[in-house]
Amino acid sequence: MKVLAKERADDTIIGEALERKGFENGLYDKRKAVDFEMKKIRVAVVGGGASGMVAAIAAARAGAEVFLIEGNDRVGKKLLSTGNGKCNFTNRNVERIAEHVCHVGRTRLQGSEPGGDAVSVGKSERAYFPSNLHHAIIPADSDRMTIHAVKDETFHSNDLSFPARVLERFGYRETIDFFKSLGVVPKERNGGIYPAGGQASAVLDLLRLELLRQDVKVICSMKIKSCGLRVKDICIGDAQAKEIDIRDVRMKEIRSNDFYTGKPRKKNCCANKFQAGGLSALGASEFVLEGTGPDGTSSMSADRVILACGGKAAPGTGSDGSGYTLAKNLGHSVTPLSPALVQLKCQEDFYKQLSGVRTDGAVRLYVDGRLAAEDQGELQLTAYGISGIPVFQVSRFAGLALQARRRVEAELDLMPSMSQGELEAYFCSFSPECYGGLLNKKLLALLLKRYGREPGRLAAGVKTFRTRIKAVNSYENAQVTAGGVDTRQIDPCTMMSKIVPGLYFAGELIDVDGSCGGYNLQWAWSSGYVAGRSAAAFISHRDGVKANGVKQKY
């Protein structure tokens, strides 16, 4: 069996041993790897994307021994494409999200400022929104209330208080300080924050350098296929067990408030149903990870595991959705998944003649006749449907609704700068031959064919252009995945599982996704840092080691 782990011994011995086993300057070289016996490690981070790299750095800064395991031949591949290669790594408006709290009552949603928007809801809950909230939706026939703020400064989740509570611990200011500590000089453009050099590759280089400085062992070309928790010397009913692999236990019986401890709730209870406390706190458990690499199957043990495997969007960068399987096998639920920040495919056949048209506009998305989301900006018409930033912002709602077999329609305002009355006056003042001075010629030809030349009807058509949505584009075209590991099963203060102690989550794998503009990367940094810091802090506390690194709020 091939095992990749770090030996705990004298620093000189460690360096020589790691070099012999394929590690050189903190990087794993598959050509130098050889077999060696299993040794226990501290923190294993599965996934070398944005959240995984920051989780590894945070854990290492706090004194943990960290292995970062990546399926690609190098870390951070998806990061290179962010912000069109310029890396929009956060947004100034993130700073305000946790500061504006909306209380959701039984019948109304009241904004945190006078004149705040309101919407009917079915249950009581608290949620966090930015100050300029535009619209919220509660899908019908939902067993738990879902609130979505859809302006471009928002995050989306079945529980919006979850990302807000994580951002309270590591938010915009902490992110700026973190990247400044790496050497990144931030530059603002329309609220988006970019590196002054304007290159995502430079940000990735600095993250990789910090991994080296913190002695994080980066293992590439290694696909983790399974992750289990091995529990030793625990009591199950009246029987004493020396070793139990949680992967073999009926995970369906795990409840969200159950932790593994040495004291069962009742005689003869299932091995995975224990009172709160945590076996790992007693040093009675360890994670076992198994993966495949260029040299075959390998396995390793770890005290703590952080799953930062990403979602399913952009599979060409390595996002294959394998993290959802790992989470499910450890007893976690995964909410419905859909491509998000993606184009929408429409049912009508006239889009081929509109391909390439760009126009300022607004899009309103309707699900079963109810307004679900809306946004405004430059619309792009394609051979198969609609695209552009406003379409990206509402696409997650379309995808999830279509999965639920709902009727989804988009209403386009093709001239948001003019009212319907102003448009009608314009059409009355000029002949159709002159309308090209207002509208794109391709678009104008279709509008005249669809609505005729009567000024009132034509003006209404321009303002309320209806189209049926039949599908969202594929994950290959999506920037992010909507849905993920259920946030009800994760502690937002630590990112640790409420089901399996010592298991942490970060990034796109979780049921949190953001709008365009740097919000998804902000979520990656925030969730990754909190997860890494929390995992290391627990270990440091257990071993009497004082944690160090960037000052945190917890």
Side-chain angles (χ1 to χ4, degrees):
M1 178 180 292
K2 291 186 181 295
V3 182
L4 304 174
K6 182 177 180 181
E7 297 177 313
R8 295 170 181 169
D10 179 77
D11 288 344
T12 303
I13 297 175
I14 291 175
E16 293 175 353
L18 290 175
E19 186 172 350
R20 288 196 303 272
K21 294 167 176 55
F23 294 96
E24 186 172 0
N25 296 325
L27 294 178
Y28 173 68
D29 186 343
K30 60 187 179 183
R31 296 169 297 179
K32 300 178 181 179
V34 297
D35 293 347
F36 62 102
E37 65 180 62
M38 181 179 290
K39 296 292 183 180
K40 193 174 183 182
I41 64 174
R42 294 285 192 172
V43 177
V45 182
V46 182
S51 61
M53 287 188 289
V54 170
I57 290 169
R61 282 183 174 183
E65 186 178 9
V66 184
F67 276 69
L68 178 60
I69 309 166
E70 167 58 34
N72 288 320
D73 57 0
R74 61 177 294 170
V75 297
K77 189 173 181 180
K78 190 174 181 179
L79 183 63
L80 294 174
S81 62
T82 59
N84 291 323
K86 297 180 179 180
C87 195
N88 181 189
F89 66 90
T90 186
N91 196 295
R92 180 170 291 280
N93 291 312
V94 170
E95 194 173 18
R96 301 203 306 266
I97 289 179
E99 298 175 359
H100 297 274
V101 182
C102 298
H103 179 69
V104 181
R106 185 162 295 277
T107 58
R108 288 181 63 80
L109 173 74
Q110 184 60 49
S112 59
E113 298 180 350
D117 297 319
V119 66
S120 297
V121 300
K123 299 178 183 179
S124 294
E125 190 169 300
R126 291 182 66 82
Y128 293 73
F129 296 90
S131 58
N132 55 351
L133 170 69
H134 252 212
H135 187 72
I137 176 177
I138 294 83
D141 305 322
S142 178
D143 59 346
R144 61 190 285 244
M145 187 185 71
T146 305
I147 304 171
H148 299 293
V150 297
K151 195 58 181 169
D152 59 355
E153 290 86 8
T154 60
F155 295 91
H156 312 296
S157 174
N158 277 334
D159 177 10
L160 277 182
S161 68
F162 185 89
R165 291 174 69 184
V166 177
L167 287 167
E168 287 175 348
R169 287 158 177 79
F170 191 87
Y172 171 80
R173 294 185 183 278
E174 290 80 9
T175 298
I176 294 297
D177 291 342
F178 173 80
F179 280 99
K180 282 183 176 179
S181 76
L182 303 184
V184 176
V185 176
K187 179 177 69 175
E188 182 179 354
R189 189 176 67 197
N190 298 325
I193 307 298
Y194 299 80
Q199 292 180 299
S201 59
V203 175
L204 176 56
D205 288 343
L206 293 173
L207 286 168
R208 294 177 67 195
L209 285 172
E210 184 64 11
L211 290 169
L212 284 170
R213 277 195 293 265
Q214 298 300 328
D215 196 27
V216 174
K217 301 303 177 288
V218 181
I219 306 172
C220 292
S221 301
M222 179 63 63
K223 294 277 188 180
I224 296 300
K225 299 299 183 181
S226 67
C227 176
L229 180 63
R230 180 183 295 146
V231 184
K232 303 176 181 178
D233 298 322
I234 64 172
C235 208
I236 307 172
D238 291 333
Q240 183 76 16
K242 289 296 182 182
E243 186 174 289
I244 295 172
D245 194 332
I246 294 301
R247 290 172 294 180
D248 298 329
V249 181
R250 291 173 294 162
M251 300 304 294
K252 65 182 180 180
E253 296 194 17
I254 293 178
R255 300 293 181 261
S256 61
N257 291 324
D258 293 329
F259 286 79
Y260 306 123
T261 72
K263 296 181 180 180
R265 287 185 174 181
K266 58 185 179 180
K267 186 176 180 179
N268 297 324
C269 73
C270 183
N272 61 328
K273 296 181 70 175
F274 299 100
Q275 294 175 343
L279 244 179
S280 296
L282 303 176
S285 65
E286 65 181 6
F287 289 90
V288 178
L289 298 96
E290 295 180 352
T292 57
D295 299 308
T297 301
S298 301
S299 65
M300 64 168 62
S301 63
D303 298 314
R304 294 288 174 270
V305 168
I306 301 173
L307 293 182
C309 316
K312 299 177 72 175
T317 63
S319 300
D320 58 4
S322 59
Y324 302 122
T325 301
L326 295 176
K328 287 178 180 178
N329 289 342
L330 286 163
H332 281 266
S333 302
V334 175
T335 65
L337 304 174
S338 173
L341 299 185
V342 70
Q343 305 88 349
L344 297 179
K345 296 181 178 180
C346 299
Q347 185 170 293
E348 295 82 2
D349 58 6
F350 52 68
Y351 279 96
K352 288 184 179 180
Q353 69 190 71
L354 298 178
S355 180
V357 172
R358 293 171 178 256
T359 181
D360 288 338
V363 57
R364 290 180 288 274
L365 193 78
Y366 289 87
V367 176
D368 290 341
R370 297 178 58 197
L371 180 62
E374 59 183 346
D375 206 274
Q376 184 172 329
E378 185 182 65
L379 299 177
Q380 299 175 31
L381 305 182
T382 69
Y384 54 79
I386 55 178
S387 183
I389 298 299
V391 174
F392 287 1
Q393 307 288 44
V394 305
S395 60
R396 74 177 312 277
F397 304 100
L400 293 173
L402 288 167
Q403 278 193 21
R405 299 185 181 279
R406 306 276 185 89
R407 181 183 177 88
V408 180
E409 294 177 297
E411 183 180 271
L412 308 181
D413 181 348
L414 300 171
M415 191 57 62
S417 61
M418 298 176 68
S419 68
Q420 184 171 331
E422 290 172 330
L423 278 171
E424 186 174 353
Y426 175 89
F427 293 141
C428 288
S429 301
F430 297 93
S431 66
E433 290 76 15
C434 299
Y435 295 169
L438 179 68
L439 296 163
N440 179 280
K441 291 181 180 180
K442 288 184 180 180
L443 187 57
L444 176 60
L446 175 66
L447 290 169
L448 289 171
K449 182 179 178 180
R450 196 177 193 190
Y451 300 107
R453 300 191 174 197
E454 197 280 314
R457 190 165 183 268
L458 183 58
V462 172
K463 298 295 288 185
T464 58
F465 186 91
R466 281 268 181 164
T467 183
R468 178 78 178 269
I469 306 300
K470 67 177 182 180
V472 296
N473 224 336
S474 64
Y475 281 110
E476 282 77 10
N477 301 101
Q479 295 182 27
V480 71
T481 306
V485 176
D486 197 329
T487 56
R488 291 176 295 181
Q489 299 169 345
I490 304 172
D491 181 357
C493 297
T494 62
M495 302 307 294
M496 188 172 80
S497 165
K498 294 179 180 179
I499 296 175
V500 182
L503 176 67
Y504 297 79
F505 294 93
E508 189 179 336
L509 183 64
I510 305 168
D511 176 28
V512 176
D513 60 280
S515 298
C516 294
Y519 302 100
N520 286 293
L521 276 181
Q522 177 64 66
W523 172 245
W525 315 135
S526 296
S527 58
Y529 205 97
V530 172
R533 184 78 173 182
S534 299
F538 184 93
I539 295 169
S540 298
H541 174 73
R542 184 191 69 188
D543 294 341
V545 178
K546 184 177 180 181
N548 52 59
V550 176
K551 182 179 179 181
Q552 296 299 295
K553 297 182 180 179
Y554 58 96

